[in-house]
Amino acid sequence: MPGLRREEVARLAGLSADYYTELERGRGAQPSPQVLAALARALRLDGDERDHLFHLAGRPVPPAAHGPAAHVQPALLGLLDRLTTTPAQVITDLHETLVQNPLAAALVGRPPAVHGPAASLVHRWFTDPDARALYPPEDHAYHSRVFVADLRAVAARRGRDSDAARLAAALRRRSAEFAALWDTRDVALRRADRKRLVHPALGVLEVDCHSLFSEDGCQRLLWFTAPAGSRTAERLELLPVIGTQDLRPDGDDAPDDVERLAGRDDRTG
């Protein structure tokens, strides 16, 4: 990859520079499929190039990309690279986060380091109460309905013997709420939505969430915006400053420090 130093490739792939150097020299342990997938993403390889990388490493070529280790489709990744002033991320059709830009990580947080069904936000939504903290409690019922309708559409497209169908079956056993909503047979892909997000430092933010689907429908580019001049738009401008740090004192929803950063203090109008 012309123009990329070893240290840059290692950083993009989440590897140490020493480990990556050993890989280039053909030394050390054989890289795992997870490392190969990370390198393919870092080097922006297309599907054929990624498969060739797996062949070179003597690893089985992974099946059609699904799950958090999936190869991000180059077209979506190229668009994500250009969204430098807007929170954006690429997810799978099961709501597994593949890659985020820094603003998305600051807005919605980084996904937990988990594998299997728990990598899906839909799974966590119905099995882990903490997964709902991103949304106000009064909005939870709405998001539950939308998640279930979206999953039904994905399961129908993927077929009966798929991760989507297995996820639905598992959630029917574990969650009475999911089972009741699944039995309504509502179906609708989640394309565009206006939602409220609870940010630990910025408070409740009302954003528009837009989706761009890959050609095969397996991946989605999401980006978040707010109406120009709105309170949320002003607060979103603070994301590069705040990053992923939590400026919230215990018990405060919107700290004074954030108000001062925004150049306003609601107590004085």
Side-chain angles (χ1 to χ4, degrees), residues 116-167:
S120 166
L121 176 57
V122 180
H123 182 278
R124 298 196 304 275
W125 181 266
F126 290 100
T127 60
D128 180 5
D130 290 342
R132 302 191 175 199
L134 183 61
Y135 301 99
E138 56 270 26
D139 296 350
H140 289 179
Y142 166 76
H143 290 294
S144 294
R145 292 194 303 272
V146 172
F147 275 133
V148 174
D150 185 87
L151 179 59
R152 180 174 282 281
V154 172
R157 177 179 55 79
R158 284 204 192 183
R160 294 183 178 181
D161 185 20
S162 67
D163 291 341
R166 287 187 285 272
L167 175 60

